[in-house]
Amino acid sequence: MHALESLFQFVNNISPISAETKNVFENIFKQKYLKKGEIFIDAGVYAREMGFLKSGILRAFYRTADGKEYNKHFFQEPCFIGGYASFISGQPNQIIQEALTDCEIWVVDCGKLTGLYDNHPDLERMSRKLAEYFFVQKEQREVEIVLLDADQRYAIFQKQFANLEQQIPQYHIASYLGITPTQLSRIRRKR
């Protein structure tokens, strides 16, 4: 199987790309490995790369000035990762992405990727559809945090991230849900 086959399957599920675009697309990616605990993108830096997570788990989180962390999202393969808002806005990245397990990632320079859009509208269309998907996902998450109670948010978490509970520490899940680890333990005992 081609090294980037999972990337192409993922992309084609969003919006099909031509064989010509696929050939150009595959030449701009390079393989990268992260060990558990390593950072893919840190706060305060400008995003220059995006990644395709082929295997592993990452978390996206904020860190306050006093060091408190708030988990925003978990990434499981296959998916795209990176500081997209930083790249689009030209502002420093605010959300740290850290490997929770060892990860294999295919990395692309953002400028090279967007530089292909004029000659490969199928790639631009795929990127737009991916951005639309992330927008809807972000809005749904914001609604969950504000309108649903912790039990309901936990049930959604279990559906959305079916096997994650056995692979990451409970305190990361609690942070994602906006509750304490003790509250999470109580919710889990009730089920």
Side-chain angles (χ1 to χ4, degrees):
M1 184 197 269
H2 187 278
L4 290 174
E5 198 57 42
S6 60
L7 169 63
F8 296 129
Q9 287 174 357
F10 183 80
V11 165
N12 280 318
N13 284 336
I14 296 167
S15 183
I17 60 172
S18 69
E20 178 192 352
T21 298
K22 180 180 173 183
N23 289 335
V24 174
F25 197 48
E26 71 183 336
N27 290 324
I28 62 173
F29 279 86
K30 63 181 187 235
Q31 194 172 28
K32 180 176 186 172
Y33 293 94
L34 289 180
K35 292 282 185 200
K36 179 179 177 178
E38 288 186 318
I39 301 296
F40 179 70
I41 186 167
D42 211 344
V45 301
Y46 292 87
R48 304 274 186 254
E49 294 181 325
M50 298 297 284
F52 176 76
L53 182 61
K54 184 171 186 251
S55 66
I57 303 166
L58 286 98
R59 71 176 176 132
F61 68 99
Y62 300 95
R63 183 180 291 133
T64 63
D66 64 353
K68 187 155 175 57
E69 296 179 355
Y70 296 92
N71 287 331
K72 178 187 181 313
H73 190 70
F74 296 108
F75 297 101
Q76 296 176 279
E77 84 268 354
C79 69
F80 281 99
I81 60 173
Y84 188 68
S86 171
F87 176 69
I88 296 300
S89 69
Q91 299 297 311
N93 186 57
Q94 296 180 342
I95 303 167
I96 304 162
Q97 293 179 5
E98 174 192 33
L100 293 178
T101 64
D102 291 348
C103 297
E104 179 183 354
I105 302 167
W106 287 90
V107 179
V108 63
D109 177 276
C110 293
K112 286 182 181 176
L113 179 63
T114 58
L116 296 174
Y117 289 172
D118 285 342
N119 293 323
H120 301 275
D122 53 344
L123 186 58
E124 184 177 30
R125 183 174 41 257
M126 184 279 304
S127 294
R128 177 185 50 81
K129 286 186 172 189
L130 187 61
E132 290 169 350
Y133 168 78
F134 283 135
F135 176 83
V136 169
Q137 188 180 46
K138 181 182 183 325
E139 186 175 275
Q140 286 173 337
R141 174 81 175 124
E142 290 168 353
V143 168
E144 290 168 13
I145 287 291
V146 174
L147 299 181
L148 302 180
D149 66 29
D151 286 322
Q152 292 168 314
R153 292 194 308 270
Y154 179 63
I156 291 169
F157 167 84
Q158 287 184 305
K159 286 180 190 162
Q160 196 173 29
F161 300 105
N163 300 318
L164 204 56
E165 269 188 281
Q166 293 74 37
Q167 300 179 61
I168 65 172
Q170 182 174 321
Y171 66 88
H172 282 314
I173 298 167
S175 173
Y176 174 78
L177 296 172
I179 59 177
T180 66
T182 304
Q183 289 171 302
L184 178 57
S185 291
R186 272 191 231 120
I187 291 168
R188 291 171 82 182
R189 274 197 301 271
K190 285 193 295 189
R191 291 180 172 264

